Amino acid sequence: MNLESVDVEAVLLALKIGFLVLLYLFIWRIVRTASRDVTSPQESFVLAPSSPSPQPAGGRAPTTGRLVVVTSPALDEGHVRELNSRPVTIGRSSRNDLPLRGDRFASAQHARVERRPDGVWVVDDGSTNGTFVNGVRVEAPHRLAPGDVVRVGETDLRYEA
C-alpha cells in the first residue's frame, strides 16, 4: 500500500507543476498582448461634437490641405484633390473619391487619407501591393507632413498643407 500512495503523490505533484506552468504561460501571454496593445500606434476615431460646429459660407467644410498628382497612369499630372473633414478614399473602383481606374497596381479600395485632430493621416485599406509614403511601406496609419509623396499603385500623390 505504501508503494501505491507514493505513485499517487507523484502524479498529484506532476499535475500541480503542470497546472502552474500553464498558469504562468497564460499570464505571460496576457502581459505580452497587453504590452503590444499599449506600444503599437492606435487608429484613433473622432467623436461627434456635442454642439454642431458652424459651417463656412457655401456649406463646404474647411480644407485641410490637398493631394496633387505627381505621376499617374489614371489621372492627369497636376490634378488636385482638396482635403476636408471627410476621409478621401483612393482606389481603382469608381466608388472611391479619387478613382484610379487605369492604375493596374491599385486595389479596388486601396487607401484613405483622413483628417484627425493631430493632423492628416494616410491609412492602407488592406491593399494587395501596399501604400507607400516617401518610398517606405505603410504598415499602420501614418501622419503626413507637407511635401510627403504617397504612392498608391503606380500613382504618386504629393500632400500639400
Side-chain angles (χ1 to χ4, degrees), residues 119-140:
V120 175
W121 293 71
V122 64
V123 180
D124 184 85
D125 280 341
S127 66
T128 304
N129 294 320
T131 302
F132 296 82
V133 175
N134 299 327
V136 178
R137 188 175 185 140
V138 172
E139 300 293 334

Side-chain angles (χ1 to χ4, degrees), residues 59-81:
R60 293 186 55 197
T63 60
T64 59
R66 60 191 192 157
L67 295 173
V68 179
V69 176
V70 178
T71 59
S72 174
L75 300 170
D76 294 330
E77 188 177 316
H79 175 81
V80 174
R81 170 64 192 209

Side-chain angles (χ1 to χ4, degrees), residues 5 12 28 30 52 65 78 131 134:
S5 66
L12 288 176
W28 176 74
I30 290 173
T131 302
N134 299 327

Side-chain angles (χ1 to χ4, degrees), residues 42-147:
Q42 298 294 316
E43 187 170 333
S44 65
F45 59 93
V46 179
L47 298 175
S50 57
S51 62
S53 59
Q55 285 285 339
R60 293 186 55 197
T63 60
T64 59
R66 60 191 192 157
L67 295 173
V68 179
V69 176
V70 178
T71 59
S72 174
L75 300 170
D76 294 330
E77 188 177 316
H79 175 81
V80 174
R81 170 64 192 209
E82 295 291 335
L83 301 175
N84 56 32
S85 60
R86 286 194 36 216
V88 173
T89 58
I90 306 168
R92 204 174 55 243
S93 169
S94 61
R95 292 176 285 163
N96 288 296
D97 298 317
L98 197 56
L100 304 174
R101 286 185 212 85
D103 191 334
R104 60 192 170 122
F105 291 101
S107 297
Q109 295 174 330
H110 198 104
R112 70 182 182 277
V113 177
E114 58 188 32
R115 187 179 92 174
R116 296 182 181 177
D118 56 344
V120 175
W121 293 71
V122 64
V123 180
D124 184 85
D125 280 341
S127 66
T128 304
N129 294 320
T131 302
F132 296 82
V133 175
N134 299 327
V136 178
R137 188 175 185 140
V138 172
E139 300 293 334
H142 181 85
R143 185 176 178 188
L144 294 176

